[in-house]
Amino acid sequence: MNDKSLSNLIKPLLNAWYPTISHGTGVYLYDVEGKKYLDGSSGAVTANVGHGVREIIDKMNDQAKKVAFVYRSQFTSEPAESLAARLCELSNHHFQFVFFVNSGTEATETAMKMAIQHWQEKGKPQKIKVLSRWMSYHGITIGALSMSGHAGRRKRFVPLLEEYPSVSPPYCYRCPFEKTYPSCDLACANELERVIKRTGSEQIAAFITEPIIGAAGAAITPPDGYYERIREICDKYDVLWIVDEVMTGMGRTGKVFAYEHWKAKPDLLTLGKGLSAGYTPIAATVATKSVLAPVLNGSNLIMSGHTLSANPLSSAVALAVLDYIQNHSLIEAVESKGAYLYAKLKSLQQQVNIIGDIRGKGLLLGLELVQNLNSKASFPSSFELTSRVIQKAQDKGLLLYPSQAGEDGVEGDGIIISPPYTITSHEIDELVGLLTVTMVEIEKELGERKRKMNNLQNRFHKMIKSTDVMSYVQNDMTIMFGGFGGVGTAPTVIEEILKSDVNGLTLICNDAGFPTIGVGKLVCEQRIKKLIASHIGSNPVAGKQMNDGILEVEFSPQGTLVERIRAAGVGIGGVLIDVGIETDVICVGKQMITLSGKTFLVETPLEADVSIVYAKKADEFGNLLYDKSARNTNPLVAMAGKVTIAEVEEIVPLGELNPDSIMTPGVFVNYIVQSKGVNWKWVWE
Ligand code: PLP
């Protein structure tokens, strides 16, 4: 861990280093080392009018001198009243009410609550579900995340979330219905009707959509007619339609509100990010008169709000941003600048072979990256391509915004390009120039990697998925894992075996040691009769069973595993271990498995995170353990080979630990120490 990187401030990655920004002007940011960054994404699609705009700062100061805060239940303020009125005016008075909050997340959650309250006050309290689409993002609190079809951001909290996302995205590049527009007859919109019927419209309060899908889809843009159909369906079934314009609102797509690109108007609208263009936190939930009419005639109280809602300072700043946008005709400029940027990106697409699709509207453009332009196959998530592109671009002085993309919204890479509206054509040229250098270098690196993978794959009999393993595995079989044995394969292949009732197995793997919770569990269940391992140093259950004569263990000293694999007639064990030296990714993403003399390359996508974490953990001990000599070439193997645990006071059966988690040695030990108060001592050989 880099000490320089750790401070009291929790940043997105706790132990990563982030440059410190000193100031910003126009489309550029400067760090304290003097490095200049072209803000090609307006931060998180937020700094819509660029940095350091004098007119805005002056108005901010003026308001701060008058009054910065009044509490909304005691006072109203001139800036908040004016801002609400201006927003309604911008909608040609389609909307009549505005509720200010402090973040996009609060805005969507407030919209959800307003929709539910609308139906409650109409005497339909059972209408509480808010349908949404897979590949969407509406915010990070539990309510907003429940509405978000963003697999990555949901994953950790799934048990706490409502199961809202239920409709496929309008993703023409990868039509979920394998159709083409317009002969598809908008199958993706029609799906909403089926879902409403199945769920029961009497339970549904609203349907929420981003007009153009941002963080979850790299600017997926629905075809003409899509939202008109959505509107019809919502009307038919008494479902309110919420349009989340936190990212797209206030001119980003070339119209004030992106819904204006279609001929359908929502019942509720959310705004955030660009509302203050990053000059202060403020967001809004905007509603039509008919949405709030039942409340006006009923309780007269919107049950939501935050201490800082509608504070005069933030409202004045948002007004100043709006003035600036209107006085400089910036929304009009977005369309032409967007067209110029789009054309330049199109020519970049011709120069490299990994840009599958370019989409979006105005200055909200998305690139989807694929490894094959014909099949549209995404890169495996273990490549971490999006982060690589973002990082490389940032190193070169260009800021981009990452997004999800791809068939299932899990494995796929997207980049959003969304510079401030004030960007000049010269600066667009500079942006695309930096992006081109980035993409060309990335493509070269990927080519190298792909070549290695292809070589590797050619040497295997067949590629199987970890979930297919069970069609090969039978009782009393001998199974050999290449790579890191239990480390890489435990969460996938071994998990599959655990789910089955196969037993009497002989397992050959590099290490049946500390991280192999999966192997440990098989051992606990006494389903392995023989373990051939280079190491079981820290697998106490295996050790105990071995002593008790339940488990036959044969040690193969580190290094001779390759010979064993060769002796088994495969002859490629060394390859995997070699690959492991060069790129952990191939090792963690793909595992060799030998079943009855045949060798397969097993796709184990689920394990990637875990093993990368493990590899990083190993890196922490890098200097100590990373020995480039022939024997312990891989940090994981090195670790397995060099660390043993002594002075175990109590043996905790691995079966008592959470079998779903694969733990790093540190976590594993901490777990035991914390939960059992057992004293473990590490011995470095
Ligand atoms: N809705 C959309 C469409 C967004 O893009 C975002 C943020 O990226 C949010 C809601 C959440 O906004 P915030 O991060 O301000 O809470």
Side-chain angles (χ1 to χ4, degrees):
M1 198 179 295
N2 180 356
D3 279 342
K4 193 179 162 193
S5 62
L6 268 185
S7 73
N8 300 115
L9 177 67
I10 297 178
K11 296 179 275 290
L13 288 174
L14 267 89
N15 67 353
W17 178 85
Y18 295 82
T20 304
I21 279 299
S22 121
H23 64 284
T25 327
V27 299
Y28 296 104
L29 286 165
Y30 300 83
D31 70 18
V32 288
E33 316 269 308
K35 182 169 172 177
K36 180 177 169 185
Y37 303 84
L38 199 169
D39 192 352
S41 58
S42 305
V45 200
T46 301
N48 288 357
V49 296
H51 303 278
V53 174
R54 203 66 253 166
E55 284 116 292
I56 299 170
I57 298 164
D58 288 345
K59 288 187 182 167
M60 185 190 288
N61 281 336
D62 292 346
Q63 183 60 43
K65 279 183 213 152
K66 288 188 208 157
V67 62
F69 171 74
V70 292
Y71 188 46
R72 66 193 179 93
S73 73
Q74 293 163 342
F75 297 102
T76 184
S77 74
E78 168 60 29
E81 292 287 351
S82 302
L83 183 61
R86 290 273 291 278
L87 293 175
C88 292
E89 219 172 88
L90 285 170
S91 76
N92 284 327
H93 301 284
H94 170 68
F95 294 111
Q96 198 174 337
F97 297 105
V98 182
F99 191 98
F100 290 115
V101 289
N102 313 299
S103 68
T105 299
E106 291 167 28
T108 56
E109 190 140 338
T110 302
M112 171 194 202
K113 288 180 179 153
M114 272 191 196
I116 291 171
Q117 197 177 336
H118 167 90
W119 295 114
Q120 281 174 348
E121 307 233 8
K122 267 185 154 175
K124 296 186 176 175
Q126 69 280 25
K127 277 172 87 74
I128 51 166
K129 288 186 198 289
V130 182
L131 301 184
S132 66
R133 299 183 298 210
W134 281 110
M135 298 185 80
S136 61
Y137 181 61
H138 301 292
I140 207 71
T141 54
I142 296 300
L145 201 54
S146 285
M147 298 189 284
S148 300
H150 190 303
R153 293 182 187 170
R154 288 176 70 91
K155 200 169 164 190
R156 197 175 279 275
F157 303 105
V158 166
L160 291 173
L161 303 179
E162 298 290 339
E163 285 180 19
Y164 287 141
S166 41
V167 180
S168 310
Y171 195 0
C172 291
Y173 179 63
R174 298 177 186 276
C175 175
F177 300 90
E178 295 181 4
K179 297 184 181 219
T180 340
Y181 181 81
S183 59
C184 62
D185 187 33
L186 296 166
C188 52
N190 297 337
E191 192 188 14
L192 175 63
E193 180 160 20
R194 278 202 303 283
V195 172
I196 293 177
K197 279 183 176 168
R198 279 190 206 128
T199 314
S201 63
E202 69 286 352
Q203 298 200 43
I204 305 167
F207 177 51
I208 184 166
T209 57
E210 291 162 82
I212 293 177
I213 301 171
I220 291 175
T221 309
D224 289 348
Y226 173 85
Y227 285 120
E228 290 82 345
R229 184 72 57 86
I230 293 291
R231 180 74 270 182
E232 273 168 37
I233 298 169
C234 287
D235 286 345
K236 184 168 168 191
Y237 293 95
D238 258 357
V239 169
L240 295 178
W241 178 31
I242 305 170
V243 168
D244 177 359
E245 297 234 22
V246 167
M247 186 179 281
T248 52
M250 309 313 292
R252 175 50 65 188
T253 66
K255 305 246 184 221
V256 179
F257 307 118
Y259 74 75
E260 296 173 83
H261 290 285
W262 290 265
K263 293 184 198 71
K265 292 183 179 176
D267 302 299
L268 285 145
L269 176 85
T270 58
L271 298 169
K273 298 177 182 278
L275 182 58
S276 65
Y279 282 80
T280 191
I282 185 169
T285 309
V286 187
T288 60
K289 188 174 178 185
S290 62
V291 168
L292 286 204
V295 184
L296 277 170
N297 299 328
S299 71
N300 202 30
L301 172 81
I302 290 295
M303 187 33 75
S304 192
H306 304 266
T307 300
L308 291 171
S309 289
N311 75 76
L313 181 57
S314 296
S315 306
V317 172
L319 273 174
V321 169
L322 187 51
D323 285 343
Y324 187 81
I325 288 175
Q326 292 186 323
N327 295 343
H328 295 82
S329 305
L330 289 182
I331 299 181
E332 294 76 353
V334 163
E335 198 180 335
S336 56
K337 290 179 183 184
Y340 182 69
L341 175 60
Y342 182 83
K344 299 218 88 177
L345 293 175
K346 272 286 180 197
S347 67
L348 167 59
Q349 191 179 24
Q350 303 307 315
Q351 288 176 59
V352 290
N353 282 315
I354 53 171
I355 302 178
D357 194 25
I358 305 179
R359 52 194 179 230
K361 281 189 188 288
L363 282 174
L364 180 62
L365 297 177
L367 305 184
E368 179 163 343
L369 308 179
V370 292
Q371 56 174 322
N372 184 313
L373 296 175
N374 295 322
S375 71
K376 302 180 183 175
S378 297
F379 286 91
S381 51
S382 54
F383 273 47
E384 296 185 323
L385 182 59
T386 303
S387 337
R388 280 161 178 270
V389 174
I390 300 285
Q391 189 55 54
K392 191 177 276 290
Q394 181 156 347
D395 292 347
K396 295 187 182 306
L398 172 65
L399 304 178
L400 302 169
Y401 190 66
S403 105
Q404 287 200 321
E407 199 164 63
D408 47 14
V410 176
E411 198 145 279
D413 296 277
I415 304 289
I416 288 180
I417 301 166
S418 51
Y421 310 164
T422 48
I423 193 167
T424 63
S425 53
H426 178 69
E427 288 162 346
I428 292 180
D429 295 347
E430 186 186 344
L431 186 163
V432 178
L434 289 167
L435 183 64
T436 305
V437 184
T438 303
M439 296 308 281
V440 167
E441 279 183 25
I442 287 280
E443 189 179 37
K444 210 164 141 205
E445 286 172 17
L446 289 171
E448 251 319 275
R449 212 180 175 101
K450 229 159 136 184
R451 197 180 50 72
K452 275 186 207 147
M453 269 189 70
N454 287 343
N455 280 347
L456 187 67
Q457 281 172 20
N458 289 341
R459 300 168 82 158
F460 289 90
H461 291 274
K462 200 182 162 195
M463 185 114 145
I464 52 173
K465 287 212 163 106
S466 49
T467 42
D468 294 339
V469 163
M470 294 322 293
S471 56
Y472 298 90
V473 178
Q474 295 158 17
N475 289 345
D476 302 315
M477 220 180 198
T478 299
I479 302 175
M480 178 194 292
F481 294 103
F484 321 117
V487 178
T489 44
T492 50
V493 175
I494 291 179
E495 280 300 314
E496 290 304 313
I497 296 173
L498 277 165
K499 280 187 229 155
S500 74
D501 54 7
V502 168
N503 60 49
L505 297 172
T506 297
L507 235 62
I508 308 178
C509 52
N510 245 9
D511 167 39
F514 20 64
T516 51
I517 300 295
V519 172
K521 196 153 188 265
L522 282 174
V523 170
C524 285
E525 292 176 4
Q526 298 184 11
R527 291 161 68 187
I528 302 179
K529 80 174 175 221
K530 184 170 179 186
L531 195 57
I532 303 176
S534 55
H535 211 83
I536 60 158
S538 53
N539 188 328
V541 176
K544 190 166 187 308
Q545 288 197 9
M546 182 181 71
N547 286 339
D548 295 348
I550 299 168
L551 177 70
E552 189 187 334
V553 178
E554 185 184 315
F555 291 102
S556 92
Q558 200 84 30
T560 59
L561 184 74
V562 175
E563 282 150 34
R564 280 178 182 279
I565 294 171
R566 288 215 177 97
V570 186
I572 49 166
V575 172
L576 262 173
I577 293 175
D578 285 348
V579 170
I581 306 163
E582 291 161 5
T583 71
D584 288 320
V585 174
I586 291 179
C587 283
V588 299
K590 311 221 178 288
Q591 292 289 328
M592 182 189 78
I593 175 168
T594 302
L595 302 163
S596 305
K598 280 194 177 173
T599 303
F600 302 92
L601 188 64
V602 183
E603 284 261 33
T604 55
L606 290 176
E607 82 195 270
D609 285 356
V610 172
S611 293
I612 287 168
V613 168
Y614 190 79
K616 282 184 182 150
K617 188 84 186 166
D619 272 351
E620 275 178 29
F621 304 99
N623 292 339
L624 204 55
L625 292 172
Y626 204 135
D627 173 1
K628 281 228 173 217
S629 70
R631 241 185 64 168
N632 289 326
T633 38
N634 190 284
L636 300 175
V637 176
M639 199 160 184
K642 287 203 172 181
V643 181
T644 53
I645 296 173
E647 294 184 24
V648 179
E649 284 181 359
E650 183 191 339
I651 289 177
V652 181
L654 293 183
E656 280 184 33
L657 302 176
N658 175 5
D660 294 333
S661 64
I662 298 304
M663 300 182 185
T664 63
V667 174
F668 176 66
V669 171
N670 283 340
Y671 180 93
I672 292 167
V673 169
Q674 280 165 17
S675 63
K676 302 282 176 187
V678 175
N679 177 28
W680 291 71
K681 187 174 161 201
W682 290 91
V683 175
W684 303 93
E685 288 179 344

